[in-house]
Amino acid sequence: MPEDFDAIILAGGRGSRLGGVSKADLIVGGVRLLDRVLSAVTDAAATVVVGRVEVPDGVLVTLEDPPGTGPAAGLVAGLDAIATPAPWTLILACDLPDAPAAVDALRAAASEGGDAYALRGRDGRPEWLLGLYRSAALRRAAADYGDPR
């Protein structure tokens, strides 16, 4: 199980399906969704939230450039905000009500070796915004991808 990891939480978006409401600020079971996700990564070396949202002290905030250009651009902005990367990077969307269990599952899977782990959605496809990646491999992939906008 990787012990040294950074966390990037993608909390951008216009909330168009929610009438402009920020998903990160939705309250589920009395707790803001973003706070549920943040509770799953309290032991991260660095935590970055990408989006216009209030965060606790010690959590970095950044935006993709230009804002609103999507999750790939948000991921790159999050990577750029981390000065000294840990060996692993955890990528999470802000709207995961059971983030602690998901993070535990990803960290357990990573003990098997390999460079990338993502949980599968109900349709069986990988949820790339619910994944744990070797930082060097993720950064190489982002650089190879080119302009993320």
Side-chain angles (χ1 to χ4, degrees), residues 2-30:
E3 298 297 327
D4 197 13
F5 70 97
D6 298 315
I8 298 173
I9 301 168
L10 300 175
R14 295 181 299 275
S16 55
R17 291 182 297 232
L18 296 171
V21 174
S22 163
K23 284 191 289 187
D25 291 321
L26 289 175
I27 305 297
V28 175

Side-chain angles (χ1 to χ4, degrees), residues 53-76:
V53 65
E54 295 289 323
V55 300
D57 289 342
V59 175
L60 303 170
V61 178
T62 192
L63 290 174
E64 67 273 23
D65 182 27
T69 49
L75 170 59
V76 170

Side-chain angles (χ1 to χ4, degrees), residues 32-125:
R32 185 173 70 141
L33 278 176
L34 179 60
D35 293 331
R36 287 180 179 272
V37 175
L38 288 169
S39 75
V41 297
T42 57
D43 57 340
T47 301
V48 180
V49 174
V50 183
R52 289 188 172 101
V53 65
E54 295 289 323
V55 300
D57 289 342
V59 175
L60 303 170
V61 178
T62 192
L63 290 174
E64 67 273 23
D65 182 27
T69 49
L75 170 59
V76 170
L79 290 171
D80 289 346
I82 299 170
T84 307
W88 290 87
T89 301
L90 183 64
I91 306 298
L92 299 167
C94 69
D95 58 349
L96 303 168
D98 200 14
V103 169
D104 288 346
L106 287 166
R107 292 177 74 183
S111 65
E112 300 171 15
D115 287 339
Y117 299 89
L119 296 184
R120 294 187 183 278
R122 288 189 179 118
D123 61 2
R125 295 190 316 209

